[in-house]
Amino acid sequence: MDDTQEESLFEAPPIAEQERMVEAILFASAEPVSLREMAGRMPHGCEPLIAVKNIQKRYEGRGVSVVKVQDAWTIRTAPDLGFLMQRETVETRKLSRAAIETLAIVAYHQPVSRAEIEEIRGVAVSRGTVDQLLELDWIKIGRRRQTPGRPVTFVVTECFLDHFGLENARDLPGLKELRAAGLLENRPAPGAEALPEPQTDAELQENLFDDAIEEPEDGPLY
Amino acid sequence: MDDTQEESLFEAPPIAEQERMVEAILFASAEPVSLREMAGRMPHGCEPLIAVKNIQKRYEGRGVSVVKVQDAWTIRTAPDLGFLMQRETVETRKLSRAAIETLAIVAYHQPVSRAEIEEIRGVAVSRGTVDQLLELDWIKIGRRRQTPGRPVTFVVTECFLDHFGLENARDLPGLKELRAAGLLENRPAPGAEALPEPQTDAELQENLFDDAIEEPEDGPLY
Amino acid sequence: MQEELFDHQSVAERVQAETLIVDVDGFEGPLDLLLSLSRTQKVDLRKISVLDLAVQYLNFIEKARELRIELAADYLVMAAWLAFLKSRLLLPPDPTMAGPTGDELAAHLAFQLERLQAMRDAAAKLMARDRLGRDRFVRGVTEDVTRRKTVHYTANLLDLMQGYARIRTRDDFRPFVMDRDSVFTMEQALQRMRGLIGFSGHWTDIVSYLPDGWTDDPKKRRSATASTFAASLELAKEGKIVIRQDEIFSPIQIKRADRDG
């Protein structure tokens, strides 16, 4: 950079190069940029006004245009193309904690009934939470449980797997990996304190967990 | 907008018009936009791929360029003009040597398990290192390896590719040479069957950078 | 041995060795240390003398011990392994000895070093690329229209995992209600066996005592098998039945115990 500046004391970059500079500056700046600001950033001897005017001409009739806002310049979407931004006008919100936990339980324990979700979360699940997940098409109603009351169960959808980049629900990381990734505290489980080896402890948890995702293969008996 | 869409049932807008639209869409987003997303926002019958390729050509040698990141497209400033952008420079937390090496190993060996990373570095991978890379959204959890223990693997993200200016993981610098030199092979220690990676080289090779591979499900034990 | 080696070294090399010792904390494990030591050979990694390297490493460890620098266990494990490798490389091959030869082990170590070096070089190349936010920049003004049509809820895998981890650490590893669906308890098995055993005068495979509907689903079958077996043991203890098995893994048979033996 210093080289460039030193050099520029003798000779400014060609105008085409200055145009590239202005283009990049306008593109990357969050605010409209004044000519003074441009001149300050560009090598000495540059003529930002000429460059910006050329750029403005170049963008005429294009999808974006170079416009002057008071004393500063910026790039804006062409007014007739505003309709394209409508899908981008979605508001992204983080899923609520309750919804994430409910979703996680469905994913890890599916098929799972509402009562079971409540038992695992230790708190009632509001209808809004379930409805929201249904609406997002991340969970759907699975088979009815063949137990008294024949409760409906929930399972995750294709769309869920797609969104979270999973091949199937069994690809979800197990407790051991959650722990390894630092997502689980290394606090010993109250019931597991008697166990001699942390290894055994971890294995036990992993097993419990494996069993919970309805694997057809071997899980612990008790 | 409705008008446009209704009209478009009969006739797609001329390609020059589609180019304007793509231009506007790309300028409006900081993240790469997929063709699907473009098509969803543009009138029916549009061909965003043709339009975006034209746009790409149009911006060649300019201050900003149209780049492809996996299946999405975005506009970035030309790398030689970075010096103009001191104000926009993002101060990134300095990555530890361990993190940088781990990142490279994930990139070049993906999908790669923690045990494999450790085998290559010859030292345990700390939790914080993986966390940091996950947090930066440069790596993510990939598929489970179908080997005993079903370890999770790590792969790099679109964000990683975007950050390092790569269209896809095959464009990693020196990848071909490394592969030709056999340095990306998972060569087990002679006589040792310690590491649980009974994958043959051929399988591994196939696995590399190929997300579409269907892995066999574990069969039931009974 | 060590003295001898140090004598051969130039002053610069000795200074370097000293630096290595002092910087032992700076190494990322034994492989990293080996890689650093290998640089003193000033040859291509492919041509490295693993034997010399092993000697260098062992000297390093020795020196560190003399200076009472505490070394992590993996450095010592590597030292033990290299000592073994050294002996294999120096002694004539013993045809009666099983396992890989010294040359094979040495070749693998060289491969590991070369691979680690390759990854380092790759990492350096990667970090030197034109990076986003440093050399290349994103659009500064993104379209932010206020007319918001839909609310888009997002969550990523990390959120999901964190959410799940939160629940699981909160009420640690309580058995889940759904497990009971597939669990045939020993009490149930005992009750069932008590009802049936009176009719069993002949040796019968224990499997035939599994309740209906518990034989198809592997998990249920497993549970029912285990509890039926446990119940049989209980009944045998009570002297109600006798159990036999011809050999390991062959079917287990039971029959009513005749009162008079």
Side-chain angles (χ1 to χ4, degrees), chain B residues 162-208:
Chain B
D162 190 18
H163 184 93
F164 291 98
L166 298 161
E167 184 178 324
N168 59 50
R170 280 183 295 273
D171 294 342
L172 283 163
L175 182 70
K176 265 190 206 121
E177 293 80 357
L178 287 172
R179 193 179 283 168
L183 291 170
L184 301 183
E185 280 167 25
N186 203 346
R187 201 180 291 176
E193 38 205 312
L195 277 173
E197 8 180 47
Q199 272 185 319
T200 67
D201 281 353
E203 269 173 335
L204 193 80
Q205 204 73 0
E206 246 183 358
N207 233 336
L208 255 184

Side-chain angles (χ1 to χ4, degrees), chain A residues 27 75 77 86 89-95 97 101 109 116 119 121 132 163 183-184 189 205 219, chain C residues 139-141 143 145 147-148 150 152-155 159 161-162 164-166 169-170 173-174 177 222:
Chain A
F27 173 85
I75 299 178
T77 306
Q86 292 216 331
T89 64
V90 290
E91 181 186 327
T92 44
R93 256 187 240 165
K94 274 271 174 204
L95 210 54
R97 187 181 164 134
E101 290 186 358
H109 297 275
E116 288 157 356
E119 183 174 348
R121 275 198 74 216
Q132 189 187 15
H163 180 94
L183 296 168
L184 259 181
Q205 285 149 13
Chain C
R139 178 71 168 128
V141 194
E143 211 70 27
V145 188
R147 288 168 295 151
R148 282 170 172 148
T150 45
H152 188 61
Y153 286 98
T154 59
D159 298 328
M161 285 156 55
Q162 277 166 340
Y164 189 66
R166 204 156 52 218
T169 30
R170 193 170 51 217
F173 322 121
R174 201 153 41 88
V177 69
R222 222 165 27 237

Side-chain angles (χ1 to χ4, degrees), chain C residues 35-46:
Chain C
L35 201 52
S36 296
L37 289 172
S38 72
R39 281 191 203 108
T40 60
Q41 290 193 18
K42 295 193 177 72
V43 291
D44 190 80
L45 268 177
R46 300 217 155 184

Side-chain angles (χ1 to χ4, degrees), chain C residues 75-107:
Chain C
Y75 287 88
L76 301 177
V77 171
M78 178 61 93
W81 188 81
L82 287 173
F84 165 76
L85 174 62
K86 191 179 117 189
S87 68
R88 280 241 160 157
L89 288 171
L90 288 174
L91 297 173
D94 178 354
T96 62
M97 221 190 304
T101 66
D103 285 342
E104 282 167 349
L105 293 172

Side-chain angles (χ1 to χ4, degrees), chain A residues 100-120:
Chain A
I100 283 178
E101 290 186 358
T102 304
L103 181 62
I105 292 169
V106 175
Y108 277 93
H109 297 275
Q110 63 170 333
V112 62
S113 71
R114 179 191 290 259
E116 288 157 356
I117 297 172
E118 292 183 343
E119 183 174 348
I120 295 167

